[in-house]
Amino acid sequence: MEDDIIYLDHAAATPLVPEAATAMMDAYRDAPGNPSALGHSGRAAARLLEEARDRMAQALDFTPERLVFTSGGTESVGLAVLGTLLPRERGHVIASAIEHPAVLGSLQILQRRGFEVTLVPPDPGGVVDPERFAEAARPDTALACLMHVNNELGTVQPLELALGRVKERAPSCTTFVDAVQSLTRLPLEPERWGADLVALSAHKVGGPRGVGALVTGSRRPQRIFGGGDQEWGVRPGTENVPGVVGFVAALLAAEAHRTERASQVSEVCAAFEEELRRQVPGARINGNRDNCLPWILSISVAGISSEALVRGMDELGVLVSAGAACHARAQKQSHVLRAIGLSPRLGTIRVSFGAESTVDNARRAVQTLARTVKRYAIG
Amino acid sequence: MEDDIIYLDHAAATPLVPEAATAMMDAYRDAPGNPSALGHSGRAAARLLEEARDRMAQALDFTPERLVFTSGGTESVGLAVLGTLLPRERGHVIASAIEHPAVLGSLQILQRRGFEVTLVPPDPGGVVDPERFAEAARPDTALACLMHVNNELGTVQPLELALGRVKERAPSCTTFVDAVQSLTRLPLEPERWGADLVALSAHKVGGPRGVGALVTGSRRPQRIFGGGDQEWGVRPGTENVPGVVGFVAALLAAEAHRTERASQVSEVCAAFEEELRRQVPGARINGNRDNCLPWILSISVAGISSEALVRGMDELGVLVSAGAACHARAQKQSHVLRAIGLSPRLGTIRVSFGAESTVDNARRAVQTLARTVKRYAIG
């Protein structure tokens, strides 16, 4: 990427950090064997894999048996949702209406198979009310899905309250948390949250593409695909040892600096908001800012389309996204913005900061936003 | 890996070739964005991905729309088998009894859902008789699975005859070929084979772990997981652009030298067989050698266990496997060796050659095998 580009789309994908790149290439060099092979080559690869699993588990303060490595966030979500429900004939699922498309899409698959799904809308600030969420639970509710940090708004959901109340009403219900956007930004605390399953992704935390993990508890989901016995029999297929090693290297690097980075990004985000009030006074920030991570900002402006905003800023070297990347091309209002009641006539962008974001870049990004609005906005 | 190691387990995993390593790292540097993002960063990543898809399609002589990138061979197989059948309520499937565990495991999942499965045994040489295979087809057969090259024996299956005859008997049947072991070793010819779907894996051809592809025709399977619209809506999740780029770089490098490598490996394999007859006259080579790739050799010896053979050779620096890596740890006779009627009392190893294998290494490997047999064999 050119040096003069200001990249503010970290919620879509983060650059690979050097620690991860080095760890991956070392693994390719040192352990080319298949970790399932008997003997030397297999052992070297299996050792690297298990060391990485141990280090990740230790950093996150749980046991290595609880980590299932996958090909990314989408597979982790699918394994959690489909692997928990598909072995049953029927059942009821609850989820927030602002879950990631990977969750909502998996729920659609379940609906087509006869499962009942209740989606709980958030409040206008993009936060799900825990009582309202739990009220949707019934004695036959088999799965409850609530994300930790919303990927479009940055709002933090009240996991502990919501999932705790669900478990009171439906004690045998499996609880699932999509923590893809909170990993390394907030502590990962499945026990405190009351989460049985937690989905994670490597490429949102400086790790490689095509790698993710599912944290399990005493309940592991059933495998989706057939094949070998890898990953406790839950996820067959030759393990992506270099990918896992790269993921863990990135995760440890980020965890080591979590507190500093949080305060740095808070400062960057505050500078962005202040400059925004000055330069684009008509802009509104979506989502309850009292309950938000500073890593993600959702900004709406009247009289200009989301696409014009993104493309206009892009031409000037500032890279942001229109809602979430995964449906940016659909060019319709996202389900999240609709769920908080935002007018589809407003142009909306998502700005997401990363470890390398600076106050200066944040201010320059706002100036670019202001120029884009001046150039393209109508009225 | 140490330099004095002789690695003969390429059917389990190949070392990453330099072309692939460079291409991956360049992609991480040049296109850190999410290919689904609007604007600059997304475009750069999407362009790399589509260029890779175009180059791979061109090298294999079909159109890019037919390539769905996945997280590896197991997912490609699962997507083909489950994505074709699960949308139906019921149906009949035929497959050879020597398919990869990814295929057989997916068929077990289907059986548990009420699908009927017929497994067709091979002849004692490890080749499926095309007439016998086709005779298993019925008018309601929805899927026929036949691998190209068996991963334990190296035997080449008569795809064209078998699948052609199946289509005569069951014209609406989808045909699926697992070509993981033949890619870059034999031409990939779905049309000639009569294959609607073909599964491929990167890490068997010098590419990265965690990457595969499914070649589709006019019939695409349905997606297994919910999520974004990536990969023609068939395989949601942020695309592993660096992984795909690395896969394609490795594939093109291997395709460019397919003929030379085939004759080189034939020579290596012939030297191995000749030395084996001299050094271990009691050894038998499994599988019909008139119908085999020279890349894979399955060798059985009486009076010694598979594990003792693998571990004994391993101690002397020669890395082979006991059957397929994916169930090496199970330490029971593989379904393939059982299907060809091999005595479970014979010790069996799989030797699989790669681009860097030499005649000298092959001879040294046999000497190591001979020493191991002398040291550990009973009687």
Side-chain angles (χ1 to χ4, degrees), chain A residues 65-278:
Chain A
E65 302 78 46
R66 294 181 57 189
L67 276 171
V68 176
F69 290 110
T70 69
S71 71
T74 293
E75 187 186 346
S76 295
V77 166
L79 183 57
V81 173
L82 302 175
T84 299
L85 269 289
L86 282 185
R88 301 167 195 235
E89 286 298 301
R90 62 180 67 226
H92 176 240
V93 185
I94 61 175
S96 87
I98 56 170
E99 294 297 303
H100 187 274
V103 175
L104 298 176
S106 292
L107 297 184
Q108 280 166 5
I109 290 171
L110 289 173
Q111 273 181 311
R112 283 199 294 273
R113 302 244 175 135
F115 288 84
E116 256 186 285
V117 175
T118 304
L119 294 184
V120 181
D123 67 20
V127 178
V128 173
D129 178 70
E131 289 302 324
R132 193 168 174 190
F133 188 77
E135 273 165 24
R138 314 184 313 212
D140 70 328
T141 301
L143 182 70
C145 309
L146 188 55
M147 70 200 321
H148 193 196
V149 169
N150 181 268
N151 57 317
E152 294 192 42
L153 302 170
T155 47
V156 183
Q157 305 304 319
L159 297 178
E160 193 177 350
L161 281 172
L163 301 181
R165 297 282 289 116
V166 165
K167 290 248 179 184
E168 286 169 19
R169 294 171 70 103
S172 66
C173 175
T174 298
T175 51
F176 166 62
V177 170
D178 164 6
V180 166
Q181 292 292 348
S182 66
L183 183 65
T184 75
R185 279 144 211 165
L186 291 175
L188 182 82
E189 302 169 302
E191 270 66 45
R192 194 168 74 73
W193 302 340
D196 297 314
L197 301 167
V198 181
L200 308 174
S201 167
H203 80 100
K204 311 285 193 194
V205 301
R209 304 299 170 89
V211 185
L214 185 68
V215 184
T216 66
S218 55
R219 312 183 208 211
R220 282 196 191 120
Q222 283 200 17
R223 53 164 61 189
I224 302 295
F225 296 120
D229 291 328
Q230 292 95 343
E231 297 295 314
W232 327 107
V234 173
R235 204 276 175 180
T238 301
E239 300 92 334
N240 181 355
V241 178
V244 166
V245 164
F247 177 16
V248 174
L251 179 77
L252 296 185
E255 284 288 329
H257 301 101
R258 188 177 352 119
T259 322
E260 302 100 278
R261 283 200 187 154
S263 67
Q264 172 207 330
V265 169
S266 293
E267 207 180 310
V268 170
C269 184
F272 191 103
E273 293 192 58
E274 191 193 320
E275 190 76 10
L276 186 70
R277 276 191 294 273
R278 206 168 12 227

Side-chain angles (χ1 to χ4, degrees), chain B residues 49-68:
Chain B
L49 178 66
E50 296 317 322
E51 274 171 13
R53 196 190 309 275
D54 288 349
R55 292 176 70 197
M56 177 161 167
Q58 199 173 9
L60 299 174
D61 200 20
F62 49 68
T63 55
E65 302 79 44
R66 295 181 58 188
L67 276 172
V68 176

Side-chain angles (χ1 to χ4, degrees), chain A residues 280-365:
Chain A
V280 195
R284 66 170 275 183
I285 294 177
N286 305 306
N288 180 346
R289 295 310 290 170
D290 296 333
N291 217 341
C292 245
L293 275 199
W295 298 75
I296 297 177
L297 267 180
S298 172
I299 297 152
S300 291
V301 182
I304 182 167
S305 72
S306 304
E307 199 186 343
L309 281 170
V310 172
R311 293 201 191 276
M313 292 177 73
D314 190 71
E315 277 165 28
L316 300 171
V318 178
L319 278 47
V320 300
S321 79
C326 19
H327 41 73
R329 296 208 169 160
Q331 293 184 17
K332 55 180 188 196
Q333 196 188 28
S334 82
H335 66 288
V336 174
L337 301 180
R338 202 165 53 238
I340 60 168
L342 197 74
S343 162
R345 295 172 57 184
L346 294 175
T348 301
I349 57 169
R350 175 184 69 182
V351 170
S352 49
F353 302 106
E356 82 284 7
S357 300
T358 62
V359 165
D360 182 52
N361 281 353
R363 294 212 178 101
R364 283 171 52 204

Side-chain angles (χ1 to χ4, degrees), chain B residues 257-272:
Chain B
H257 302 102
R258 183 170 4 113
T259 321
E260 300 100 278
R261 283 198 187 154
S263 66
Q264 173 207 328
V265 169
S266 293
E267 208 179 309
V268 171
C269 184
F272 190 104

Side-chain angles (χ1 to χ4, degrees), chain A residues 28 32 35 40 113 209 314, chain B residues 28 32 40 113 209 314 329:
Chain A
Y28 273 117
H40 189 100
R113 302 244 175 135
R209 304 299 170 89
D314 190 71
Chain B
Y28 272 117
H40 190 99
R113 304 246 175 133
R209 305 298 170 89
D314 190 70
R329 298 211 168 156

